[in-house]
Amino acid sequence: MIKIIMHGCNGKMGQVISDLVKQDASAEIVAGIDIADNRPNSYPVYTDIDQCDVEADVVIDFSSAVAVDPLMEYCEKRNLPVVICSTGLSEEQITNIHKLSKKLAVLKSANMSFGVNTVMKVLKNVTKLLADAGYDIEIVEKHHNQKVDAPSGTAIALADVMNEELNNEYEYRYDRSDVREKRKKKEIGISAVRGGTIVGDHDIIFAGTDEVIEISHRAYSKAVFAKGAIEAAKFLAGKPAGLYDMSDVINV
């Protein structure tokens, strides 16, 4: 039985994860941490992270960027593995995550969905082949109207995966309205759409001469991310220090 501390337990994702863990005989949430204790939970909730002294095997974080710094300090003090799912992290925070991973097991992924991470594996296999054949690369991502960051972390991660296969020779174009010019050959365009209650759509477009190849992923509920986070927590518990991502979970 994996014992989990849920960081950001009273947020939307925290509650989805809590509900799913209740149905999982191999995992249990033993405590929650949130700035607000404003709803009933089956576990104790701490509004001050330093007051949480419950024994656990791993932390799942689905909070906000501002809450990640004290979380990292907490996990370092307790040598507690952590799955970091919060988005919008600064470059400094990313650097600190790398430093923390030298002391304990940390899993950080731009998207916790098994589907998205499978798409990333596909892109590693096809990107160079299609780029060498002259295909232009574009990403279109769509999310709900409450999402504050654009483009999404997942869209950037998808671009990064492809650019790694292209020796990081491509530049990213986020907005074509600022410069009046033809599209550059070594360019990955990224467009963001915000509207309604779209959970998360990502389309990778390879546009060639007289044909288009699209690889798409659609998330129809937050449960796909919650399930991935739970599996990541099970994977991470007991692992040696290091920086892991969802590709490690999928490969198990």
Side-chain angles (χ1 to χ4, degrees):
M1 174 76 74
I2 300 298
K3 295 181 178 180
I4 301 169
I5 293 176
M6 185 66 233
H7 186 246
C9 63
N10 286 331
K12 291 180 180 178
M13 285 304 305
Q15 287 296 292
V16 174
I17 291 172
S18 297
D19 289 341
L20 287 175
V21 171
K22 288 177 183 177
Q23 306 166 37
D24 192 331
S26 63
E28 176 189 9
I29 296 181
V30 293
I33 299 169
D34 204 292
I35 57 172
D37 185 9
N38 55 3
R39 63 181 72 207
N41 288 289
S42 59
Y43 46 79
V45 176
Y46 297 84
T47 55
D48 181 349
I49 190 171
D50 292 324
Q51 296 300 312
C52 180
D53 58 357
V54 178
E55 290 297 319
D57 300 304
V58 63
V59 177
I60 295 178
D61 162 62
F62 250 117
S63 57
S64 63
V66 296
V68 169
D69 290 333
L71 171 65
M72 287 193 285
E73 292 176 6
Y74 175 82
C75 291
E76 183 176 359
K77 289 177 184 176
R78 301 191 61 184
N79 194 32
L80 194 55
V82 57
V83 179
I84 299 177
C85 305
S86 294
T87 60
L89 303 181
S90 67
E91 289 298 324
E92 182 181 1
Q93 287 177 310
I94 297 296
T95 298
N96 289 335
I97 287 173
H98 282 266
K99 291 179 180 178
L100 183 63
S101 70
K102 299 183 184 300
K103 302 176 181 179
L104 53 89
V106 179
L107 191 147
K108 174 74 179 76
S109 192
N111 190 299
M112 302 307 295
S113 158
F114 270 57
V116 165
N117 284 277
T118 300
V119 167
M120 289 182 178
K121 293 184 72 173
V122 172
L123 291 176
K124 289 182 178 181
N125 292 326
V126 303
T127 296
K128 192 173 189 316
L129 172 68
L130 294 174
D132 288 348
Y135 286 74
D136 297 321
I137 305 171
E138 295 282 325
I139 299 172
V140 179
E141 58 96 344
K142 305 172 188 176
H143 285 84
H144 52 84
N145 57 23
Q146 300 300 303
K147 188 171 180 62
V148 296
D149 55 318
S152 69
T154 299
I156 295 173
L158 291 166
D160 287 345
V161 164
M162 290 188 287
N163 212 3
E164 286 175 10
E165 299 303 313
L166 300 170
N167 299 315
N168 291 312
E169 294 178 353
Y170 279 52
E171 64 179 64
Y172 301 162
R173 169 71 73 178
Y174 300 111
D175 184 1
R176 298 192 183 281
S177 65
D178 59 341
V179 178
R180 187 177 176 83
E181 64 180 15
K182 290 175 60 177
R183 186 187 197 284
K184 296 177 181 177
K185 180 176 177 58
K186 292 188 175 182
E187 181 176 279
I188 299 176
I190 306 176
S191 303
V193 176
R194 296 290 176 267
T197 58
I198 302 170
V199 175
D201 292 358
H202 293 86
D203 298 307
I204 303 94
I205 302 166
F206 294 94
T209 302
D210 298 329
E211 64 179 354
V212 175
I213 299 170
E214 289 192 29
I215 300 173
S216 301
H217 178 271
R218 303 279 181 270
Y220 293 104
S221 80
K222 294 180 182 296
V224 298
F225 311 118
K227 291 175 182 176
I230 295 168
E231 292 305 311
K234 293 177 183 178
F235 164 85
L236 200 65
K239 286 289 188 296
L243 185 60
Y244 302 86
D245 60 29
M246 282 301 290
S247 65
D248 297 304
V249 180
I250 292 175
N251 288 334
V252 171

